[in-house]
Structures are given as structure tokens and as C-alpha cells.
Amino acid sequence: MPVSLKDVDHIALLARLGLTDGERAALRDDLESILGYIGKLETLDTTGIEATAHVIDLETPLRDDVVRNPEDADAMVGNAPDRDRTYLRVPKIIE
Amino acid sequence: MIRNGPRLRPGAGSSGRASSRKTSMNLSDPASFTIATARSALDRRELSATELTRAVLDRVARIEPTLHALLAVTESRALADAAAADARLGRGESGALLGIPVVLKDIFATRGIPTTCASRILEGFVPPYDSDAAERLARAGSVLIGKANLDEFAMGSSNENSAYGITRNPWDPERVPGGSSGGSAAAVAAGECLASLGTDTGGSIRLPASYCGLVGLKPTYGRVSRYGVIAYASSLDQVGPFAWTVADVAAVLGVIAGHDPRDSTSVPRPVPDYGAALTGDVRGLRIGIPREYFADGIAPDVERATRDAIGVLEGSGARIVEIGLPHTEYAIATYYLVATAEASSNLARYDGVRFGLRRASAGDSLVDMYRHTRDAGFGAEVKRRILLGTYALSAGYYDAYYLKALQVRTLIRRDFLQAFEHCDVIAAPTAPTTAFRLGEKVSDPLAMYLSDIFTTSVNLAGLPGLSVPCGFDRDGLPIGLQLIAPAFAEETALRVGDAYQRATQWHLRRPAESTGNAPGTTA
């Protein structure tokens, strides 16, 4: 499965990853080799086999709609790298 | 229920050594303790939790500069925990882990204690809450010694992917401890604690247990709460313990297992008395040997030790049956699609907005800021897996890769369900080789991935897997026997592992460093 630098750039954008030129080339090679190995799955006929996304038979559990966290917004956002009181500050998103 | 010390067969070579340890605890060598021997000394008031904790902290101070198993030593917390445990012991209380020094992999959120997941992107992150496992360990009166090193975001098989430096293997400082819970394993093996917790997504408990000569258990998916455990691949991740003996691991499991409404995948099932399952009796138990696990690529010493271990169990009265797990060869490919797809989604939360690192230049847009932050914050392996997972989920490739992997996952799971119609437990090697050298596989991601060839299927099927020391190779490196049981049949795997330890003495060996001699190494 050949992977181009254009492919790498496309998925890096989807994944919101910035990459240096050295990283782009190395990751292209790694992806190609890993996908080559993964290609062995193509040799298996899986027609009609259901997909297993997870292994336990649990219904989505629901709880009562009541607030359980203590009111402590400051602690909740205390790890934010840039904030104004309990607001998180990000670069401008509207021109 | 915990037994008092390792039980040895009458006339066994080192039984005198083990019993003399029990009565005269050697505080200069905490690796000589098990939870069971410490429990007995604490309950008889021959030893205080504070003395034990100070001995462990001294050991940490002596060897950490070389070993680097820990990212943080929580000394004041440890001494406070120990004093609290002594007060409880003084009131006549006891409990499986009361006063026992433990270490948590730095993937468990700990209130007020930095939690990094060995990533630059979580630098400075101090959780405002405790993970369920941390909470349960604290409630049980254990003593928190520190947070263990790991492969960044639990992605790796050697601990070399940590952003904060490598961890060495206590048996040979030039080798890896295994990963991703390598720090948790090395900490126990070097006597920095008596038990530790790790997480296992594709082998991350069992592989380091095997490489470090310990018992390590990955419980059934859903058995232990993941609340407050930083997510890697949510359909696979599970929490589990490391210790020297199966009895010790059973004791820790009894504390951490159980339903937690804060984790929607935590299963509401009663927690059995795991200690009571350790009867020593395996007569008539059917042990399945998967022929695919003894194929090409397995080191001769590993194959010999595994077959010898199976022979010991047969000698104890178990019945050996050959079984097939025909889709074994597809497990690694399936795992690396499922795990990376889930990781690409889970790691989207590291965006430089709510916690951890932010990198931005003047004039950066929001997307630029995300990309700069994630480029600076993630290491090479994390980027590789995010890209692979994003690729597998992206338009045009979803059916060919992700959906295909989920279908093969069904086939792998069916293999086990069919095998368990013919046996009660499966025995196989934990890993094809013993611990490899530092640096040996860092430049070849695929070779690194193949270290997990015997462990990933168990996660894909959601089953419990136990690794038990079963010998040493020609270089003196530990070998692990893997025991795989049906879902929620931890008791069966533990019973077999314990019976094996009663019949053998591998678990009594300690690395040379644990005698207190400085390791001859170049740091």
C-alpha cells in the first residue's frame, strides 16, 4: 500500500498534527511498512461476519439527572493553560 | 484471605531461606518481602508500616538514579499513609493492603499529584480528582510511594517511548523492562514497593511482568473500573496488578475489582474471594495448549521453560489438551487498527485548551494552535499511532481497514469461545523472547509491535490473562507463562498460577541489585 507525502499531510491535518519535514518523511515510511503488514487481513474472507466493537453485553447505563460534582468551577478549569476567571481563552476564531 | 508466606514443598532447597525471611525481615532488602510476608509481620506488630515505608523509601533513594522506574516519589504522602495505617493497625484492624507500599502507573489520575502519562502534553497537569483504583487503594490503607514511568500514553512495549527517559530492567540494566507498564513492573522487581498497578491494552501488564520476573494480571474487560485512567483504546484498556506471587496479585485484585457507576463499562458483578480460589488443587482441570503459540519465532529457552511449566501442571494432576486458535496470526494487525483508531479519537482531547501544554505563535489560528501544541507535545510513537488510526477511520479506508479489523476481532474472539469448550484455561508463553536490549527495536516500530504477538488476542477477546514467572533463559533473564481464562474466570487462572508457584521456586529469585549492591551499569 503506497503512501504519499500528500496522504500524510492530509491525515495530519485531519488529526490536527503539525509535522516537521523530517517527521513527514519518516512517518510516510513507517505507515507504508505498517500498512503492508496489516494487509494480511485482506487474505481473510470476512463476508457475513459481524463486527465486534466491544466485548461486553451491557446496555448503556443511565443515572438520575442530578448534579453530583461539587460546585468548584475554579478547580475544574484550574489546569487550563490560558484562562480568564473560569473562561478558557483561545486564539481568535471569528474574523 | 491471604496465606502467610510462600508455601514450599517439604525438603525444597531454599525453604529454610524463605522461612527465616518471614521471622527476621530484612529491611535493607524490601524486594525480599511479599505482601503476604509483610502482612503477617505487620499484623503481629513485628514491623510497623512506617518502618516498612522508610525501608522502601531508602531503597528508592538508593536505586532510582539508575533505575528510573518512577516519575514522582510521593514521600510525604507515603509517610502520612504509613502513619494512618499504623494507627489502624494499633486499633487491631487488618486488611489485605493495610500498610503495604504500592506504586501507581502515571496513567492513574491522583488528586493533587501531577499525572503526566509520560507525555510532554500533560506537563504540569494536576488532576482535581482521584481515579477509582487510586481511591480503592487509599481506602484499603495502602501506602502510595509514587507514580511509575510508562510508554507515553501507554503506547509501547519497552518504556523507551516515555518523554521523561527510559526505565531499566532490574535483572539487567542494559535491557528494557517491557511496556507499557514498565515502571510499575521495575518498581516491584527492584523492591521500591510490594505491589503496583498498571494498565494492559495489548499486553502492557503481562509483557513487563514476564520481562521482570513478576506475576502480572490483566483482568477481564469490565472487571476493574477505568474511571480516572487516562484512555488509550477504550474497548481494550484494563487495569491490573503486579506482585511477586499469585497470592499477592489475588489480594490486590480483591481490593480494586468491583462495579463503579462512574465507568459505564464496569460490570455489575459480585467480586469473589480470590484468595479462597487458591486451593492448590488443579487435579482434573483441563489446560489447553494452543499450537499456534509454539510456532516459528519463539526463543528456544522460552519454549523449553513454557513446556516444562506445562509439565509441572500435568504432574500436579491437570489434564493437557491441544487446542487451536487459528486466527492468532491476525491479532497484531487487528490490534493495531482497533487500538490506533480508538486512540486517534481519545487523544483528540489534547488540544492546548483545557489542560497541559499549549504552543502558539502570534497570529496563529485555532487550528494552527492545535497543530503546534500537538506537534510539540506528542512523541514520535504517539504521532505514528494517531496517524495510523486517523488513516484507518478516514473516508475511503474505513471499510477496508477499521471495519475489517472489527470483523476479524469477532473471529479471534470465537477462537477462544470454541477453545474453552475443550479446556478450562489456556497455557502459553507470555512473549516470544525475554527482555530485549535498550535501543534494539526503537527504530523498527513493526518489530516492537510483534513483541505483543501472544498478548493482544486476549485484549481483543476481553479475557483475563495472567503472567507467572516460569524460569530463566541462558542470560539469566526471566521467562513468563501466560494463563488465559474465560471472561470473569480470574479465579481459575489464579488457582493454576498459584498451584504452579507452590510446586516451583522461580518466584523466590530476586535480581542481584535487590541485595543492595549497586548495579554495575553506565547510566
Side-chain angles (χ1 to χ4, degrees), chain B residues 137-209:
Chain B
L137 286 182
R139 214 160 42 224
S142 68
V143 173
L144 182 65
I145 299 296
K147 303 290 293 288
N149 199 7
L150 63 151
D151 285 297
E152 183 178 1
F153 285 108
M155 297 179 184
S157 309
S158 70
N159 253 46
E160 292 166 297
N161 294 335
S162 168
Y164 303 102
I166 59 155
T167 295
R168 294 177 184 277
N169 187 318
W171 295 90
D172 177 349
E174 295 309 317
R175 293 183 188 258
V176 303
S180 66
S181 311
S184 301
V188 175
E192 296 187 327
C193 57
L194 273 55
S196 62
L197 293 190
T199 56
D200 189 316
T201 305
S204 284
I205 290 172
R206 289 158 289 155
L207 187 74

Side-chain angles (χ1 to χ4, degrees), chain B residues 24-49:
Chain B
S24 59
M25 315 291 286
N26 179 3
L27 283 173
S28 71
D29 183 12
S32 66
F33 290 67
T34 61
I35 295 177
T37 56
R39 171 86 279 121
S40 143
L42 288 166
D43 288 347
R44 289 203 305 257
R45 316 303 303 279
E46 293 168 3
L47 175 73
S48 72

Side-chain angles (χ1 to χ4, degrees), chain B residues 149-386:
Chain B
N149 199 7
L150 63 151
D151 285 297
E152 183 178 1
F153 285 108
M155 297 179 184
S157 309
S158 70
N159 253 46
E160 292 166 297
N161 294 335
S162 168
Y164 303 102
I166 59 155
T167 295
R168 294 177 184 277
N169 187 318
W171 295 90
D172 177 349
E174 295 309 317
R175 293 183 188 258
V176 303
S180 66
S181 311
S184 301
V188 175
E192 296 187 327
C193 57
L194 273 55
S196 62
L197 293 190
T199 56
D200 189 316
T201 305
S204 284
I205 290 172
R206 289 158 289 155
L207 187 74
S210 169
Y211 285 4
C212 290
L214 297 172
V215 180
L217 173 70
K218 183 207 94 75
T220 308
Y221 185 78
R223 181 71 285 184
V224 179
S225 169
R226 287 125 21 116
Y227 176 74
V229 179
I230 295 170
Y232 159 27
S234 302
S235 80
L236 304 167
D237 297 340
Q238 182 57 203
V239 172
F242 292 94
W244 286 111
T245 67
V246 174
D248 282 5
V249 157
V252 180
L253 181 63
V255 169
I256 61 172
H259 181 237
D260 174 13
R262 298 169 299 183
D263 173 1
S264 63
T265 63
S266 153
V267 174
R269 269 174 93 104
V271 177
D273 179 348
Y274 294 110
L278 310 183
T279 60
D281 187 3
V282 294
R283 283 173 300 175
L285 203 81
R286 297 165 305 164
I287 299 183
I289 312 301
R291 60 185 82 87
E292 295 82 3
Y293 283 55
F294 293 89
D296 296 343
I298 178 171
D301 288 1
V302 171
E303 175 162 9
R304 178 188 40 73
T306 310
R307 291 199 186 278
D308 286 354
I310 292 162
V312 167
L313 292 169
E314 192 172 20
S316 302
R319 269 175 50 209
I320 306 302
V321 292
E322 191 178 306
I323 56 159
L325 296 169
H327 295 94
T328 297
E329 66 168 301
Y330 302 101
I332 292 279
T334 304
Y335 171 81
Y336 276 94
L337 286 169
V338 171
T340 60
E342 294 183 17
S344 72
S345 169
N346 272 326
L347 272 63
R349 74 193 65 189
Y350 304 102
D351 56 4
V353 174
R354 287 156 297 165
F355 33 68
L357 187 78
R358 171 181 294 191
R359 282 289 158 81
S361 320
D364 265 7
S365 68
L366 185 63
V367 170
D368 293 337
M369 186 277 282
Y370 292 154
R371 298 187 78 178
H372 288 142
T373 298
R374 289 160 67 81
D375 184 38
F378 290 138
E381 182 60 26
V382 174
K383 288 178 184 168
R384 200 177 281 129
R385 295 197 193 190
I386 289 175

Side-chain angles (χ1 to χ4, degrees), chain A residues 18 23 30 44 50 52 89, chain B residues 358 375 383-384 404 410:
Chain A
E23 284 176 323
D30 290 345
L44 264 182
E50 73 273 26
T52 297
R89 197 160 21 211
Chain B
R358 171 181 294 191
D375 184 38
K383 288 178 184 168
R384 200 177 281 129
K404 182 85 179 182
T410 303

Side-chain angles (χ1 to χ4, degrees), chain B residues 406-443:
Chain B
L406 294 187
Q407 290 175 311
V408 181
R409 185 174 183 181
T410 303
L411 298 175
I412 290 169
R413 188 171 180 224
R414 274 187 201 163
D415 280 358
F416 282 102
L417 294 176
Q418 281 159 12
F420 285 126
E421 289 171 10
H422 306 286
C423 64
D424 303 297
V425 70
I426 293 170
T430 302
T433 68
T434 52
F436 48 90
R437 289 184 187 283
L438 288 161
E440 191 177 321
K441 298 186 183 179
V442 280
S443 57

